Amino acid sequence: MAAAPAVKHWRTTLERVEKFVSPIYFSDCNLRGRLFGDSCPVTQLSSFLTPERLPYQEAVRQDFRPAQVGDGFGPTWWTCWFRVELTIPEAWVGQEVHLCWESDGEGLVWCDGEPVQGLTKEGEKTSYVLTDKLGEEDPRSLTLYVEVACNGLLGAGKGSMIAAPDPEKMFQVSRAELAVFRRDVHKLLVDLELLLGIAKGLGEDNQRSFQALYTANQMVNVCDPAQPETFSVAQALASKFFGQRGGESQHTIHAMGHCHIDTAWLWPFKETVRKCARSWVTVIQLMERNPDFIFACSQAQQLQWVKSHYPGLHARLQEFACRGQFVPVGGTWVEMDGNLPSGEALVRQFLQGQNFFLQEFGKMCSEFWLPDTFGYSAQLPQIMCGCGIRRFLTQKLSWNLVNPFPHHTFFWEGLDGSRVLTHFPPGDSYGMQGTVEEVLKTVAKNQDKGRTNHSAFLFGFGDGGGGPTQTMVDRLRRLHNTDGLPRVQLSSPERLFSALESHSGQLCTWVGELFLELHNGTYTTHAQIKKGNRECERILHDVELLSSLALARSAQFLYPAAQLQDLWRLLLLNQFHDVVTGSCIQLVAEEAMCHYEALVTVPSMGYAPAPTPTSLQPPLSQQPVFVVQEMDGSVTLDNGIIRVRLDPIGRLTSLVLLASGREAIAEGAMGNQFVLFDDVPLYWDAWDVMDYHLETRKPVLGQAGTLAVGTEGGVRGSAWFLLQISPNSRLSQEVVLDVGCPYVRFHTEVHWHEAHKFLKVEFPARVRSPQATYEVQFGHLQRPTHYNTSWDWARFEVWAHRWIDLSEHGFGLALLNDCKYGASVRGNVLSLSLLRAPKSPDATADMGRHEFTYALMPHKGSFQDAGVIPAAYSLNFPLLALPAPGPAPATAWSAFSLSSSAVVLETVKQAETSPQGRTLVLRLYEAHGSHVDCWLHTSLPVKEAALCDLLERRDPAGPLPLQDARLKLTFSPFQVQSLLLVLKPPPN
């Protein structure tokens, strides 16, 4: 007789099902406790410990000694290799057999000399499938090796995730055994967990929610964990529920496998190489078992590492790419920071990345993939379009601290008007796990309901967690088309964006930068890394330029293309979003500085910065610099263009533009005022500076009498002073004014030993404007100087490149720098961020000696007409002295000249594909924000000229007309253009 229906209590029914699948409660009698059947220990376990990351062939030749489960090994960053000898019992014939392995270190299983699967507890990868079904003829004994890194998924932080690593941390293997895996139990667990998720997610007021809960309850009624013959009845109940279809209007979720791996962060670069191998070999197993599963993978650098260290694995990735299951995305060398790299460096990210993907996988990427970075330059849309990409996926703006971003699918329009279709996964994550909660959140959070009916769903454990699991794939496949839920497809980036494009007519447009309202301390943290970045961008620019000129003038010169590619790739590697930003551990910062050292020692091109002139007499056409020290200790510097007055402790009391007599410093205020702030964020120490730090402002005051005259005048005048910032930190500065120079330089040396302090320098200007201008890649943009709205005050600390400017009609003041990025203009105060002192994840960040220069330039009229942009270039690209053979030429020689000051010639290099090596690429951009016609004149022997895109693909329109060694180019505001110049053979 059937049991009478019972009245159901929501909470008790829900908890009953939860306990039935719980890994903690009642696992002796519930379904979860039956996931694995019989088990036995491994036959023999032995190990070998090394501080090196050895290749497999070398590691297996080492002296392995007996080991036991529970033995400790370490310390941090070492590697323990285990030899695991197995014997599968005869009684297990016909069953699925796993090696169960649990460790707090990241593991990689090797079989017959090849990596076969990652084992990472935090990524739910704790078993390796030895056989899906043990056959009569299958071998019973085998030997595997497990390479275990002495670090966890997120490094080895001491006490918290982002704390500096514990160098003495020890690790252990807590489980190493063989076990029978019950696939039928696994399927039931997936169904019950999904039904629970539907019941919880839809809530007590939803009819479908009750249906899910009642189905799960009935499954518990009919399923006896000790009697597998009851499982099919329970499975049939679940299938009936999930077989009830949704309507045609259901939102479609495009589920794609994903494994975001930080190229370096809380672990060193070399560990990332192994994280990639552990993750991608695991993904290959998943693709083999699930032909409909598609995995998206970014970052050419990581694939290059795998190609070098794991060639067999790389070949398998190429195989699955041909099948369409392994999909390279992104198009860049690494997932770089979107704020700090120069415009040319951003172009090279795509140039190197797209060429790599084309060479290794047969095609370039059609979407830019940057899920995790700390802001997005307004020039990225133009750069993407110039590299053949018109689709963009990210999600980091979901981290905004103040203002939720108003869209998930929209067109992003850049500085020049270029537009790209942009999508943020509405679930606000790139590491989903395929749960009902995440699926429902994806629909509920979507800001563009009614405009589009498709969303991305990126699932898988990142940072070495091995990416997706079979459980995740099974969940999503089960939710394919179920009443009450969105439709779920195992999909690809191409299918997602094609679906979005088909309904793009209703999408909104966002114009300008995508500013992340968080992590704005990364513009300043680890100042030495940022200085190295700026210097190495300059060095590579100069080497390419000089090499190109040498190529044009000499038949014997060999352009160092291979060496320059290697050096560019090092710089691009350092521009990863957790390296150049300074949000990495000490070990990574040290490696980054070593990369810069390699860049500084580029192949000698025979040039050096011009030495200071030995003659102290200026040209007759220019007024010498006068230096006067008053009785009160103040110093005045005057070069006939500007007059600078410093008080006895080095502060700027006056800065006059002599042509107009206009004072640039606000009345009653002091410029060059150093200020110190308390800098204690809510959590992300190296990343964040909070708005409340502004409430702790403390001016740093020196002692009278420290100001002294340095250089006494002529071609240069200067004064210098010492400043005690705190009992532990001090500063010295030389204030320099050169003959004919429109700006005054502040050459600064700081010995910095602080904790959670922030050092800035301020210049109150006698200028009033509601907006200030900041240089960005290939252009500039305006940001407000007021806090009218929450969008305004969320930008209390912003980023810029070489200059910022505050102007009113007819007059302005520009603040230039040679290696700083953090800045702000509030009201009339221009502020440059100099040094921070966070203590995690690197307790030594910014400690020690720093040297940098900033400059102040008052100007008449607009900053464009006054020459602020070339002045900033001059500060960042000091004059070079070139040794020339033979007597000096009688006349000056110029390789290129431009008829308009609005156009900047940014780059001269050899083309990536250059017949006979005699094709150059020129990169120019419009810098003023104007439409302009510009003539480019060259004295090089040019045979042919043509436009090309940023990947150096020739414009199909054909050659440009070349008249008297001149080309006419037409620019729109902030447009970047690239030219191919084919050179004539030089005379013999």
Side-chain angles (χ1 to χ4, degrees):
M1 180 177 174
V7 176
K8 298 287 189 291
H9 182 265
W10 173 272
R11 177 179 170 184
T12 57
T13 306
L14 192 76
E15 289 199 20
R16 179 200 187 196
V17 181
E18 286 179 332
K19 297 301 188 291
F20 192 65
V21 298
S22 171
I24 300 172
Y25 300 104
F26 306 108
S27 59
D28 60 328
C29 62
N30 71 5
L31 186 63
R32 177 74 62 179
R34 298 297 199 279
L35 184 59
F36 285 95
D38 294 340
S39 65
C40 69
V42 299
T43 306
Q44 188 172 347
L45 193 65
S46 54
S47 67
F48 158 70
L49 187 65
T50 172
E52 306 295 330
R53 295 177 177 88
L54 298 178
Y56 171 84
Q57 296 295 345
E58 185 177 345
V60 297
R61 294 197 301 266
Q62 304 304 313
D63 181 20
F64 283 76
R65 300 187 176 184
Q68 293 183 346
V69 171
D71 287 351
F73 56 89
T76 304
W77 309 131
W78 283 47
T79 300
C80 192
W81 282 82
F82 289 88
R83 183 162 57 217
V84 186
E85 299 178 49
L86 312 172
T87 303
I88 304 175
E90 283 291 334
W92 293 2
V93 169
Q95 303 195 70
E96 183 173 336
V97 182
H98 289 200
L99 167 65
C100 297
W101 182 279
E102 293 185 17
S103 171
D104 46 2
E106 294 188 275
L108 177 61
V109 182
W110 291 80
C111 182
D112 299 329
E114 290 294 333
V116 290
Q117 188 185 302
L119 292 169
T120 305
K121 189 174 182 179
E122 297 138 303
E124 297 182 4
K125 313 291 190 306
T126 55
S127 71
Y128 168 58
V129 181
L130 296 170
T131 174
D132 292 325
K133 184 177 181 181
L134 184 65
E136 293 283 357
E137 305 301 322
D138 290 342
R140 302 293 186 267
S141 299
L142 66 157
T143 299
L144 302 174
Y145 288 87
V146 182
E147 176 188 9
V148 180
C150 295
N151 55 265
L153 181 69
L154 295 173
K158 190 173 185 177
S160 75
M161 180 187 79
I162 65 168
D166 179 357
E168 302 302 325
K169 187 172 182 178
M170 299 299 288
F171 297 79
Q172 67 172 13
V173 173
S174 56
R175 185 184 185 191
E177 63 182 15
L178 300 183
V180 172
F181 183 76
R182 302 289 301 278
R183 185 66 58 181
D184 51 356
V185 172
H186 165 80
K187 290 179 180 179
L188 277 176
L189 287 171
V190 168
D191 283 347
L192 284 164
E193 287 172 342
L194 290 175
L195 290 166
L196 276 171
I198 294 169
K200 292 178 182 177
L202 297 181
E204 295 183 53
D205 297 327
N206 185 281
Q207 173 72 15
R208 189 65 170 157
S209 168
F210 272 90
Q211 292 173 359
L213 184 59
Y214 276 43
T215 299
N217 184 70
Q218 187 62 17
M219 289 173 67
V220 176
N221 286 339
V222 302
C223 178
D224 183 346
Q227 297 185 31
E229 61 271 18
T230 65
F231 294 173
S232 60
V233 179
Q235 194 78 65
L237 290 169
S239 295
K240 180 180 178 181
F241 176 91
F242 289 110
Q244 295 169 334
R245 302 306 183 196
E248 292 184 6
S249 66
Q250 293 296 91
H251 189 88
T252 299
I253 286 176
H254 294 255
M256 293 168 272
H258 192 241
C259 181
H260 170 75
I261 300 178
D262 288 302
T263 300
W265 180 29
L266 303 176
W267 54 87
F269 289 101
K270 290 181 180 178
E271 193 55 46
T272 306
V273 178
R274 300 199 295 188
K275 283 178 175 285
C276 293
R278 289 191 284 263
S279 296
W280 296 345
V281 75
T282 306
V283 167
I284 281 179
Q285 285 208 342
L286 207 56
M287 290 188 289
E288 286 178 328
R289 291 192 172 92
N290 303 272
D292 56 344
F293 165 65
I294 294 173
F295 180 78
C297 181
S298 63
Q299 306 196 73
Q301 171 69 88
Q302 295 181 2
L303 288 159
Q304 174 64 53
W305 280 336
V306 167
K307 180 183 178 181
S308 298
H309 293 83
Y310 306 91
L313 172 55
H314 182 69
R316 297 297 312 280
L317 294 176
Q318 290 176 313
E319 174 189 338
F320 280 95
C322 290
R323 298 185 192 179
Q325 286 185 264
F326 184 83
V327 181
V329 292
T332 53
W333 191 246
V334 297
E335 289 184 5
M336 68 285 190
D337 179 64
N339 299 326
L340 308 185
S342 69
E344 186 61 30
L346 291 179
V347 170
R348 300 305 177 92
Q349 286 283 355
F350 287 97
L351 183 63
Q352 292 295 326
Q354 289 285 56
N355 285 343
F356 178 87
F357 290 124
L358 178 62
Q359 176 182 329
E360 298 297 326
F361 296 96
K363 61 180 180 180
M364 293 185 180
C365 303
S366 59
E367 58 284 299
F368 181 33
W369 198 273
L370 190 63
D372 183 19
T373 194
F374 307 153
Y376 310 83
S377 166
Q379 277 289 28
L380 274 171
Q382 180 176 192
I383 293 171
M384 281 184 247
C385 291
C387 296
I389 290 175
R390 295 185 178 274
R391 300 163 167 178
F392 176 40
L393 183 143
T394 186
Q395 69 83 49
K396 194 66 175 188
L397 286 197
S398 68
W399 286 44
N400 270 10
L401 192 64
V402 181
N403 300 285
F405 194 76
H407 302 292
H408 283 104
T409 305
F410 60 100
F411 283 105
W412 179 22
E413 184 175 307
L415 271 186
D416 74 317
S418 298
R419 297 205 317 166
V420 292
L421 177 60
T422 302
H423 182 68
F424 300 171
D428 295 339
S429 172
Y430 47 79
M432 299 288 202
Q433 296 182 31
T435 66
V436 172
E437 179 185 7
E438 294 165 340
V439 166
L440 291 173
K441 179 182 178 184
T442 295
V443 179
K445 292 284 188 178
N446 182 16
Q447 296 273 28
D448 296 282
K449 298 182 182 75
R451 298 190 184 98
T452 181
N453 210 23
H454 297 263
S455 294
F457 187 98
L458 308 182
F459 66 99
F461 292 103
D463 285 330
T469 65
Q470 184 63 55
T471 299
M472 295 177 193
V473 174
D474 290 344
R475 287 170 183 159
L476 294 166
R477 191 182 282 129
R478 194 61 150 160
L479 296 176
H480 170 64
N481 189 1
T482 296
D483 184 28
L485 297 176
R487 186 179 291 107
V488 178
Q489 297 178 355
L490 292 178
S491 188
S492 68
E494 171 62 32
R495 288 182 220 156
L496 165 72
F497 278 104
S498 293
L500 294 175
E501 286 167 349
S502 67
H503 300 282
S504 62
Q506 298 298 315
L507 297 180
C508 298
T509 298
W510 181 273
V511 179
E513 67 179 330
L514 295 174
F515 185 84
L516 177 64
E517 297 172 356
L518 198 70
H519 292 359
N520 38 13
T522 59
Y523 317 148
T524 304
T525 302
H526 261 302
Q528 295 288 28
I529 292 179
K530 291 169 172 60
K531 182 177 182 179
N533 178 69
R534 185 79 64 85
E535 286 182 344
C536 291
E537 288 177 339
R538 172 182 61 81
I539 288 170
L540 288 175
H541 167 280
D542 290 349
V543 172
E544 287 184 332
L545 170 62
L546 294 170
S547 298
S548 298
L549 299 182
L551 180 71
R553 294 172 69 93
S554 169
Q556 287 73 42
F557 181 79
L558 294 177
Y559 191 94
Q563 293 164 291
L564 282 169
Q565 175 175 272
D566 290 343
L567 295 170
W568 263 111
R569 287 181 171 183
L570 269 184
L571 179 60
L572 300 179
L573 174 60
N574 271 12
Q575 290 178 343
F576 179 73
H577 65 256
D578 275 310
V579 180
V580 71
T581 56
S583 53
C584 54
I585 61 173
Q586 180 182 355
L587 190 55
V588 174
E590 291 170 350
E591 289 177 306
M593 295 307 296
C594 289
H595 294 164
Y596 290 138
E597 287 297 322
L599 280 155
V600 168
T601 56
V602 293
S604 175
M605 298 305 301
Y607 75 90
T612 301
T614 53
S615 168
L616 297 181
Q617 297 303 316
L620 294 176
S621 60
Q622 293 180 319
Q623 175 182 313
V625 180
F626 294 104
V627 182
V628 177
Q629 184 158 28
E630 307 292 346
M631 293 295 294
D632 64 357
S634 63
V635 172
T636 300
L637 308 174
D638 187 329
N639 68 353
I641 301 173
I642 58 177
R643 183 174 64 237
V644 180
R645 181 171 292 119
L646 303 168
D647 75 359
I649 58 176
R651 295 178 302 180
L652 191 61
T653 59
S654 176
L655 175 61
V656 176
L657 184 63
L658 294 174
S660 63
R662 177 69 184 264
E663 174 63 61
I665 301 300
E667 184 177 356
M670 299 287 183
N672 202 36
Q673 175 65 66
F674 292 97
V675 287
L676 205 60
F677 299 84
D678 295 339
D679 187 14
V680 184
L682 298 176
Y683 177 72
W684 297 100
D685 199 359
W687 294 259
D688 290 350
V689 56
M690 309 308 297
D691 56 352
Y692 53 74
H693 88 282
L694 296 170
E695 302 173 37
T696 67
R697 179 181 180 275
K698 299 178 184 66
V700 180
L701 301 177
Q703 294 184 345
T706 61
L707 185 67
V709 173
T711 305
E712 296 184 352
V715 297
R716 173 172 295 167
S718 70
W720 66 275
F721 62 93
L722 302 173
L723 182 64
Q724 195 72 34
I725 299 170
S726 74
N728 300 317
S729 301
R730 68 183 188 277
L731 174 153
S732 64
Q733 187 174 78
E734 185 179 21
V735 184
V736 180
L737 186 60
D738 287 332
V739 65
C741 187
Y743 53 80
V744 57
R745 289 185 290 124
F746 300 83
H747 182 70
T748 313
E749 180 181 323
V750 182
H751 292 264
W752 182 247
H753 300 282
E754 300 295 326
H756 296 115
K757 298 295 181 183
F758 197 169
L759 181 67
K760 304 183 185 183
V761 64
E762 295 177 348
F763 293 92
R766 191 167 172 259
V767 176
R768 180 173 175 80
S769 176
Q771 61 186 19
T773 305
Y774 300 78
E775 189 195 33
V776 299
Q777 299 89 346
F778 296 134
H780 58 265
L781 50 76
Q782 284 76 41
R783 299 184 180 114
T785 60
H786 54 74
Y787 290 173
N788 279 2
T789 71
S790 60
W791 293 89
D792 298 334
W793 64 258
R795 302 185 188 198
F796 58 87
E797 177 78 6
V798 297
W799 61 274
H801 279 207
R802 291 167 293 213
W803 58 269
I804 62 176
D805 182 84
L806 183 66
S807 290
E808 59 188 39
H809 178 68
F811 185 79
L813 185 62
L815 179 56
L816 324 177
N817 75 85
D818 71 347
C819 62
K820 298 299 176 186
Y821 295 92
S824 65
V825 182
R826 183 182 181 187
N828 68 329
V829 179
L830 293 86
S831 176
L832 188 66
S833 299
L834 303 177
L835 295 168
R836 294 186 71 221
K839 297 304 171 188
S840 63
D842 178 5
T844 69
D846 283 318
M847 297 299 98
R849 180 181 176 274
H850 298 268
E851 192 173 345
F852 50 85
T853 298
Y854 52 88
L856 202 60
M857 179 179 171
H859 60 82
K860 182 180 179 182
S862 69
F863 69 85
Q864 294 99 326
D865 295 339
V868 167
I869 296 170
Y873 269 94
S874 174
L875 183 68
N876 281 268
F877 290 82
L879 190 64
L880 300 180
L882 299 174
T891 58
W893 177 79
S894 174
F896 303 101
S897 62
L898 296 165
S899 66
S900 172
S901 62
V903 178
V904 174
L905 175 57
E906 176 73 15
T907 297
V908 181
K909 66 180 285 289
Q910 185 187 59
E912 297 294 300
T913 303
S914 177
Q916 290 83 48
R918 300 205 45 84
T919 302
L920 301 182
V921 171
L922 273 60
R923 189 117 50 236
L924 309 96
Y925 71 96
E926 197 288 319
H928 287 181
S930 60
H931 286 87
V932 64
D933 291 334
C934 177
W935 286 92
L936 168 69
H937 179 272
T938 179
S939 57
L940 301 186
V942 176
K943 176 182 177 182
E944 182 183 88
L947 290 170
C948 64
D949 68 6
L950 296 179
L951 298 182
E952 304 179 9
R953 298 176 295 192
R954 182 183 286 257
D955 188 331
L960 295 172
L962 188 62
Q963 306 171 9
D964 301 324
R966 296 194 308 160
L967 291 167
K968 185 179 180 182
L969 302 171
T970 299
F971 289 84
S972 57
F974 305 117
Q975 184 181 5
V976 180
Q977 292 198 47
S978 299
L979 284 173
L980 290 171
L981 298 184
V982 181
L983 301 176
K984 299 174 183 177
N988 293 329

